[in-house]
Coordinates of all heavy atoms in Angstrom, one line a residue:
Chain B
Y39 N 160.8 79.6 41.1 CA 159.7 79.7 42.0 C 158.7 80.8 41.6 O 157.6 80.8 42.0 CB 160.1 80.0 43.4 CG 161.3 79.1 43.9 CD1 162.3 79.6 44.7 CD2 161.3 77.8 43.6 CE1 163.4 78.8 45.1 CE2 162.3 76.9 44.1 CZ 163.3 77.5 44.8 OH 164.4 76.7 45.2
T40 N 159.2 81.7 40.7 CA 158.3 82.9 40.4 C 158.2 83.3 38.9 O 157.3 84.0 38.6 CB 158.9 84.1 41.2 OG1 160.3 84.3 40.8 CG2 158.7 84.0 42.7
D41 N 159.2 82.8 38.1 CA 159.2 83.3 36.7 C 158.7 82.1 35.8 O 159.5 81.2 35.5 CB 160.6 83.7 36.4 CG 160.8 84.3 35.0 OD1 159.9 84.0 34.1 OD2 161.7 85.1 34.7
Q42 N 157.5 82.2 35.5 CA 156.8 81.2 34.7 C 157.6 80.8 33.4 O 157.8 79.7 33.1 CB 155.4 81.7 34.3 CG 154.5 80.7 33.6 CD 153.7 79.8 34.5 OE1 153.3 80.3 35.6 NE2 153.6 78.5 34.2
N43 N 158.0 81.9 32.6 CA 158.6 81.7 31.3 C 160.0 80.9 31.5 O 160.3 80.0 30.8 CB 158.9 83.0 30.6 CG 157.7 83.5 29.9 OD1 156.8 82.7 29.6 ND2 157.7 84.8 29.7
Y44 N 160.7 81.4 32.6 CA 162.0 80.8 32.8 C 161.8 79.3 33.2 O 162.5 78.4 32.6 CB 162.7 81.5 34.0 CG 163.9 80.9 34.5 CD1 165.2 81.2 33.9 CD2 163.9 80.0 35.6 CE1 166.3 80.5 34.3 CE2 165.1 79.3 36.0 CZ 166.3 79.6 35.4 OH 167.4 79.0 35.8
A45 N 160.9 79.1 34.1 CA 160.7 77.7 34.6 C 160.2 76.8 33.5 O 160.6 75.6 33.5 CB 159.7 77.7 35.8
E46 N 159.4 77.3 32.6 CA 158.9 76.4 31.5 C 160.0 75.9 30.6 O 159.8 74.9 30.0 CB 157.8 77.2 30.7 CG 156.4 77.1 31.3 CD 155.4 78.0 30.6 OE1 155.7 78.6 29.5 OE2 154.3 78.1 31.2
N47 N 161.0 76.7 30.5 CA 162.1 76.3 29.7 C 163.2 75.5 30.3 O 164.3 75.4 29.8 CB 162.7 77.5 29.0 CG 161.7 78.1 28.0 OD1 161.3 77.4 27.1 ND2 161.3 79.4 28.2
T48 N 162.9 74.9 31.5 CA 163.8 74.1 32.2 C 163.2 72.6 32.2 O 162.1 72.5 31.8 CB 164.1 74.5 33.7 OG1 162.8 74.3 34.4 CG2 164.5 75.9 33.8
F49 N 164.0 71.7 32.7 CA 163.4 70.3 32.7 C 162.2 70.2 33.6 O 161.5 69.2 33.5 CB 164.5 69.2 33.0 CG 165.0 69.3 34.4 CD1 164.3 68.8 35.5 CD2 166.3 69.9 34.7 CE1 164.8 68.9 36.8 CE2 166.8 69.9 36.0 CZ 166.1 69.4 37.0
Y50 N 162.1 71.2 34.5 CA 160.9 71.1 35.4 C 159.6 71.4 34.6 O 158.5 71.0 35.0 CB 161.0 72.2 36.5 CG 162.1 71.9 37.5 CD1 163.3 72.6 37.6 CD2 161.9 70.8 38.5 CE1 164.3 72.3 38.5 CE2 162.9 70.6 39.4 CZ 164.1 71.3 39.4 OH 165.0 71.0 40.4
G51 N 159.7 72.2 33.5 CA 158.6 72.4 32.7 C 157.5 73.4 33.3 O 156.5 73.6 32.7
G52 N 157.9 74.0 34.4 CA 156.9 75.0 35.0 C 157.4 75.4 36.4 O 158.4 74.8 36.9
L53 N 156.7 76.3 37.0 CA 157.0 76.7 38.4 C 157.0 75.6 39.4 O 156.2 74.6 39.3 CB 156.1 77.8 38.9 CG 156.1 79.1 38.1 CD1 154.9 80.0 38.6 CD2 157.4 79.8 38.2

Side-chain angles (χ1 to χ4, degrees):
Chain B
Y39 313 138
T40 52
D41 185 337
Q42 185 90 35
N43 281 338
Y44 172 87
E46 275 174 8
N47 290 303
T48 67
F49 67 78
Y50 291 108
L53 295 174

